[in-house]
Amino acid sequence: MCGIIGYVGKQNAIEVLLSGLKSLEYRGYDSAGIAYLKSNHTQIIKSVGKIKYLEEKIDKDLVSNIGIGHTRWATHGKPIEKNSHPHKVGKFTIVHNGIIENYQALKKILNNYKFKSDTDSEVIAALLDKLYNEKKDILNVIKQLENLLVGSYALGILCDDIPNTLYALRKDSPLIVGVGENENFIASDVPAILKYTNKYMLVDNNEIIEINDKITIYNSKLEKQDKEILIFEGSLEQAEKNGYEHFMLKEIHEQPSVVKETLHKFLQYDLDSLVNEMPNLEKYKQISIVGCGSAYHAGLVGKYLLEKYADIKTDVYIASEFRYQKVFIDKDSLVIFISQSGETADTLASLRKVLEEDIDTLAIVNVIGSSLAREAKETIYIKAGPEISVATTKAYIAQIAILSVMALSIGTKKQIISDKKALEIIDSFKKLPDIIENLIKKDYKSIAKTIYDKDTCFYIGRGMDYALSMEGSLKLKEISYIVSSAYPAGELKHGTISLIDEGTNVIAIATDKNISDKTFSNVKEVKSRGAFVTLITIDTIKDEFDFADNKIIIPYINDFVNPLITIIPLQLIGYETAKLRGCDIDKPKNLAKSVTVE
Ligand code: G6P
């Protein structure tokens, strides 16, 4: 998704902008550009593709003290140079993240302007220029702009007439202000400024930011606002690869400590923290879970645990569907929103839809201070730290860890789970980091070698294993470009089995002893039609498993802990397979880390 950086200060803005843009690469982009102000004139340099191509176009001796930069992820108009940001019209140059929904209507009142791009964003620069020509009062012009724009935006603005000041504003798209010593920044998120400062401020919707050697924040009535300066606790190193070949691998290796950190507050040595630290959720008759991508898959894992152990009917919705569908949610229900970034447009819109109905909401979010976290009635933060790889691993595991402990907490409060049993389960969670660690060390490369050269793969499983196989399948397809689908094992024979041929890859997951025999029968059905089967199962099932070509046997601990174990081989099979196929693992084509448009 688009990324924004802006700088005013004593350093060379060109270097700061390029460095910031590189830190925003993980958001996904297809072109990049910068604009800098010098002698009351703004110059723009942009390029399609990687930031290195933009860098190649920039004269090494170029120096400026103020500028804005942008990585674009195309929405309106193809990923070509004329559509890349920044856009300049008259005296105004802008970078924009978001979507202007009424840009066609606005073009009608801007009929004196000739537009050079196919974007929705260029109208913003034209509108600013028109308003400024009518009345040269920049703050009022920006205020009027806010009233005219419909949609979402984070904006960085330069005006040729105001050479030392950068303006910014946001509505429903992420934007922070970086606070330095006699230098200040704007950015889509913290990693972009971390090389220069770890101090930042959160910008609220409709605030107007004026940045030069000081920072002034106005509300929409142009009254000055006081803002708290926050300190980002993580180091820049945390946001770098730390010696691993890919961010994805580094993040997979971080999972033991992420699980530990995330659950620390809930799982002390007695039952008190389990019962008291988790919000009171046992009162709800129904839970709905909403998310996109892996967050949705995490919700499916939550459904199995909440229904089985907390005895609460749980429905899981894909946010892009939920926001437009008729939903039947009673006042005595809870709606949980899961999101790593806390900025996913569809999840955020779904939250706002529920808030209108005055129904209780809870966000499970990674990014502190993100929109979802701020707007939901309650928030539980996972403690995954910055996740750079587009394909999520550590945030997903932390999400399912929270849902698992949530089911345990409710089940214990309702006495569906006895205190004694709950203590045993808490204890097993303490062993989890070591179990994950050991499982990460296993050899997945040799399994990947047996499957990487086929272009299709099917994942099958029942119940919880089906939920996990959906995430395993997504991991494989998004980073290795193998066409992959997950099916409930029993459903395969209703059509999909016609696709099984000699050598077709099937990854079967059977970690529930109660129904594993049924899954094994389905494995045998595909095997007898020529499939090449990789089986993931548990050590408490005693079988030779000689019907499978590859076997991965994981320890069975209990139903709460096991989803967090089963996912490890699935992540690493995806990773090793993508590596053998020579894919750009951390930045798969067409994908964005943070999807802030619908
Ligand atoms: C993108 C990412 C996925 C992620 C999904 C939801 O598609 O590539 O990894 O699961 O967005 O993002 P969120 O930040 O809401 O968890």
Side-chain angles (χ1 to χ4, degrees):
M1 212 54 30
C2 306
I4 287 178
I5 174 85
Y7 176 78
V8 190
K10 298 263 178 295
Q11 300 192 58
N12 185 1
I14 312 296
E15 280 163 26
V16 179
L17 297 177
L18 285 172
S19 151
L21 289 180
K22 283 179 193 161
S23 319
L24 291 168
E25 277 191 293
Y26 73 92
R27 295 170 67 87
Y29 70 105
D30 39 55
S31 57
I34 59 162
Y36 60 95
L37 237 170
K38 230 178 165 176
S39 316
N40 285 75
H41 190 69
T42 311
Q43 296 285 352
I44 296 175
I45 307 168
K46 39 196 188 179
S47 173
V48 172
K50 300 274 178 202
I51 289 165
K52 65 177 181 198
Y53 302 129
L54 173 68
E55 225 169 348
E56 280 164 20
K57 280 184 149 181
I58 299 174
D59 182 350
K60 296 269 173 298
D61 301 326
L62 196 59
V63 177
S64 165
N65 298 110
I66 175 166
I68 48 181
H70 188 266
T71 48
R72 176 172 187 255
W73 189 78
T75 56
H76 291 63
K78 288 188 178 141
I80 50 177
E81 201 166 307
K82 70 168 184 175
N83 291 333
S84 311
H85 297 218
H87 292 289
K88 183 168 193 215
V89 179
K91 289 182 176 291
F92 282 86
T93 307
I94 60 111
V95 287
H96 169 222
N97 173 15
I99 288 179
I100 303 304
E101 287 163 15
N102 61 337
Y103 80 104
Q104 297 283 21
L106 289 173
K107 275 190 175 173
K108 293 204 179 105
I109 60 166
L110 294 164
N111 49 8
N112 288 339
Y113 287 87
K114 215 171 161 326
F115 290 95
K116 295 189 281 272
S117 77
D118 311 316
T119 65
D120 53 332
S121 308
E122 197 182 357
V123 295
I124 303 168
L127 206 48
L128 283 164
D129 191 62
K130 177 180 156 52
L131 296 169
Y132 187 75
N133 285 336
E134 287 162 10
K135 192 178 179 201
K136 293 203 162 24
D137 172 352
I138 185 75
L139 288 173
N140 265 301
V141 163
I142 296 176
K143 184 179 149 189
Q144 281 182 61
L145 175 80
E146 269 184 350
N147 295 336
L148 290 168
L149 295 180
V150 176
S152 58
Y153 47 83
L155 288 172
I157 303 169
L158 293 176
C159 174
D160 286 357
D161 281 356
I162 312 170
N164 300 317
T165 304
L166 162 62
Y167 292 89
L169 67 159
R170 74 167 284 234
K171 183 172 169 277
D172 298 341
S173 289
L175 189 73
I176 57 139
V177 175
V179 184
E181 296 279 330
N182 299 321
E183 60 176 0
N184 293 304
F185 308 76
I186 57 162
S188 296
D189 60 23
V190 176
I193 57 160
L194 220 45
K195 190 169 163 192
Y196 305 97
T197 178
N198 66 348
K199 296 194 189 115
Y200 68 104
M201 295 173 183
L202 296 171
V203 182
D204 283 313
N205 273 349
N206 301 110
E207 285 178 333
I208 298 170
I209 320 293
E210 188 180 65
I211 295 180
N212 31 50
D213 54 356
K214 57 185 194 314
I215 299 165
T216 318
I217 300 188
Y218 302 90
N219 66 12
S220 55
K221 292 185 199 138
L222 298 184
E223 296 158 338
K224 285 189 186 171
Q225 301 293 296
D226 284 333
K227 277 265 156 179
E228 188 190 352
I229 296 181
L230 305 169
I231 312 279
F232 182 76
E233 300 294 352
S235 62
L236 180 61
E237 204 186 290
Q238 234 183 313
E240 287 172 348
K241 280 187 205 151
N242 228 353
Y244 288 99
E245 198 175 341
H246 297 99
F247 280 112
M248 183 178 178
L249 189 62
K250 171 178 168 268
E251 286 157 9
I252 288 174
H253 279 264
E254 284 169 356
Q255 292 182 117
S257 60
V258 163
V259 168
K260 211 169 174 173
E261 275 280 299
T262 299
L263 297 183
H264 175 75
K265 131 175 184 200
F266 304 103
L267 302 179
Q268 302 294 321
Y269 289 93
D270 51 29
L271 288 177
D272 287 354
S273 49
L274 176 71
V275 171
N276 299 332
E277 292 294 338
M278 193 55 78
N280 282 331
L281 307 177
E282 61 282 4
K283 61 182 179 196
Y284 295 109
K285 295 216 168 56
Q286 193 182 336
I287 291 180
S288 300
I289 303 180
V290 183
C292 298
S294 298
Y296 165 73
H297 294 159
L300 293 173
V301 171
K303 171 185 166 74
Y304 283 100
L305 293 169
L306 287 163
E307 291 191 336
K308 189 166 177 189
Y309 293 103
D311 199 27
I312 301 182
K313 177 172 165 29
T314 305
D315 295 313
V316 190
Y317 297 92
I318 291 173
S320 54
E321 291 294 311
F322 180 91
R323 65 182 291 188
Y324 295 116
Q325 84 191 74
K326 182 166 181 182
V327 283
F328 299 87
I329 297 177
D330 295 335
K331 294 274 180 224
D332 53 8
S333 321
L334 171 72
V335 188
I336 299 178
F337 297 85
I338 306 178
S339 173
Q340 187 284 126
S341 61
E343 301 291 350
T344 302
D346 287 318
T347 314
L348 208 47
S350 302
L351 168 68
R352 289 173 185 156
K353 170 173 167 161
V354 174
L355 286 174
E356 275 172 21
E357 304 296 320
D358 198 26
I359 288 166
D360 285 355
T361 55
L362 166 71
I364 300 177
V365 173
N366 189 30
V367 177
I368 295 170
S370 56
S371 302
L372 265 176
R374 285 192 278 164
E375 293 182 32
K377 283 191 188 159
E378 293 236 34
T379 297
I380 297 178
Y381 283 113
I382 57 167
K383 303 267 171 62
E387 193 177 56
I388 306 296
S389 162
V390 168
T392 178
T393 51
K394 61 176 181 169
Y396 169 82
I397 207 169
Q399 289 160 356
I400 59 175
I402 287 288
L403 290 164
S404 177
V405 168
M406 185 182 283
L408 177 63
S409 170
I410 304 172
T412 310
K413 285 187 207 172
K414 286 182 161 178
Q415 282 297 296
I416 300 166
I417 302 164
S418 70
D419 288 359
K420 182 169 172 285
K421 186 79 195 154
L423 280 169
E424 273 171 39
I425 295 167
I426 290 176
D427 208 49
S428 70
F429 267 108
K430 294 195 177 121
K431 295 182 195 129
L432 184 61
D434 285 342
I435 299 172
I436 296 177
E437 189 105 51
N438 287 335
L439 214 53
I440 290 173
K441 284 188 202 143
K442 286 198 171 188
D443 170 26
Y444 299 96
K445 196 171 175 179
S446 54
I447 291 180
K449 276 185 184 156
T450 64
I451 65 170
Y452 83 101
D453 56 348
K454 307 266 170 31
D455 286 329
T456 50
C457 187
F458 296 98
Y459 284 70
I460 57 170
R462 286 169 184 260
M464 171 69 82
D465 290 331
Y466 170 54
L468 291 164
S469 66
M470 287 181 78
E471 177 61 7
S473 172
L474 179 64
K475 286 288 88 78
L476 183 79
K477 78 178 113 184
E478 66 183 334
I479 59 171
S480 76
Y481 314 141
I482 290 177
V483 179
S484 169
S485 294
Y487 282 89
E491 181 63 13
L492 209 64
K493 56 169 79 73
H494 298 288
T496 309
I497 203 163
S498 70
L499 296 171
I500 304 290
D501 270 323
E502 202 55 44
T504 306
N505 274 320
V506 174
I507 298 185
I509 306 163
T511 68
D512 180 348
K513 216 173 168 176
N514 300 318
I515 44 173
S516 56
D517 277 348
K518 309 282 175 200
T519 306
F520 294 154
S521 300
N522 301 129
V523 170
K524 286 168 194 165
E525 283 162 12
V526 293
K527 188 72 208 143
S528 62
R529 286 160 179 82
F532 183 86
V533 175
T534 298
L535 174 70
I536 300 173
T537 188
I538 47 174
D539 56 2
T540 49
I541 299 176
K542 302 288 170 218
D543 195 312
E544 290 304 308
F545 308 117
D546 45 16
F547 50 86
D549 300 286
N550 289 319
K551 291 163 243 183
I552 300 172
I553 311 217
I554 59 172
Y556 178 76
I557 311 296
N558 56 51
D559 287 359
F560 294 90
V561 165
N562 261 79
L564 290 87
I565 299 176
T566 313
I567 194 62
I568 305 295
L570 293 170
Q571 293 170 338
L572 281 156
I573 288 172
Y575 173 80
E576 293 293 354
T577 306
K579 206 169 137 189
L580 287 173
R581 287 167 71 95
C583 299
D584 190 355
I585 292 183
D586 286 330
K587 297 188 203 86
K589 67 172 163 31
N590 306 336
L591 289 184
K593 177 73 183 160
S594 180
V595 183
T596 51
V597 293
E598 55 176 307

